[in-house]
Amino acid sequence: KAGDSYSKAKRDVDDLLDDLDDVLADDSPHVPSEPTPAPSQATDSTEPVVASTGKCFPVYIGGSKDEQGLTPGRACDRLRCTKCDFEVKRWENIAWSESCDYLFFRNFFPDGEKLSKNMVKTKGSCGYACQCTWKSASELTALQKSPEMRWVCSGHRKAIA
């Protein structure tokens, strides 16, 4: 089991280093081109071929009116926390109350019913959270402006013919 954890951690570090290499090689936001299937990939199967299309950089979160998906101009819907290693969840038309704290999320995440105790209905906002961090957003906001955020894009996938 310890070997599995080490392998996963090594893959995660390798992925982050690859992302950093991409960023350093190009100062503009990383927007990968659409993948095209090779002719040899054609099958009679009805299941779509799944190909990775890239990761958001910079990473944005947004309000309920903002589009979600791969950057640019969209809130990432594939966020993962590198501190607690949990997927980041999003709740629409809410903001987190001022009384939220680390132990509240540590104990109740991802149970939306228990978390609702500290959700304030706020039209146009979204509440984002993982097991260790939380943030409300009402407009597109770059996470690089919040150094305490340890959320990264875990990668977007698109089904291709």
Side-chain angles (χ1 to χ4, degrees):
K1 190 129 189 154
D4 290 343
S5 295
Y6 175 78
S7 297
K8 182 185 179 315
K10 184 173 181 341
R11 282 192 310 271
D12 288 347
V13 169
D14 288 342
D15 286 346
L16 289 171
L17 289 173
D18 288 342
D19 290 347
L20 184 58
D21 286 341
D22 290 344
V23 171
L24 294 176
D26 181 12
D27 288 339
S28 63
H30 179 65
V31 181
S33 61
E34 289 290 319
T36 54
S40 63
Q41 290 179 335
T43 64
D44 292 335
S45 170
T46 57
E47 287 191 32
V49 175
V50 177
S52 176
T53 61
K55 293 185 179 185
C56 296
F57 189 84
V59 176
Y60 288 92
I61 59 173
S64 60
K65 294 176 183 164
D66 293 309
E67 249 186 273
Q68 291 185 23
L70 183 63
T71 298
R74 295 184 185 103
C76 182
D77 58 354
R78 303 276 301 149
L79 295 172
R80 183 159 204 88
C81 180
T82 60
K83 187 174 180 182
C84 67
D85 197 32
F86 272 78
E87 178 183 351
V88 176
K89 299 284 186 187
R90 175 184 179 207
W91 288 268
E92 290 194 1
N93 295 311
I94 70 105
W96 296 112
S97 78
E98 297 289 324
S99 64
C100 289
D101 62 12
Y102 171 81
L103 284 177
F104 173 75
F105 287 96
R106 181 80 172 106
N107 290 328
F108 298 134
F109 183 84
D111 187 334
E113 188 175 321
K114 290 181 180 177
L115 291 173
S116 67
K117 173 183 167 193
N118 280 323
M119 291 179 180
V120 177
K121 289 185 189 234
T122 309
K123 188 171 175 82
S125 288
C126 285
Y128 290 82
C130 61
Q131 196 177 38
C132 69
T133 309
W134 63 98
K135 186 160 181 79
S136 299
S138 58
E139 61 185 22
L140 216 51
T141 306
L143 291 182
Q144 283 70 21
K145 294 181 180 176
S146 302
E148 72 277 1
M149 287 288 153
R150 304 275 300 269
W151 296 347
V152 297
C153 176
S154 62
H156 295 266
R157 300 190 184 283
K158 181 179 178 184
I160 55 176

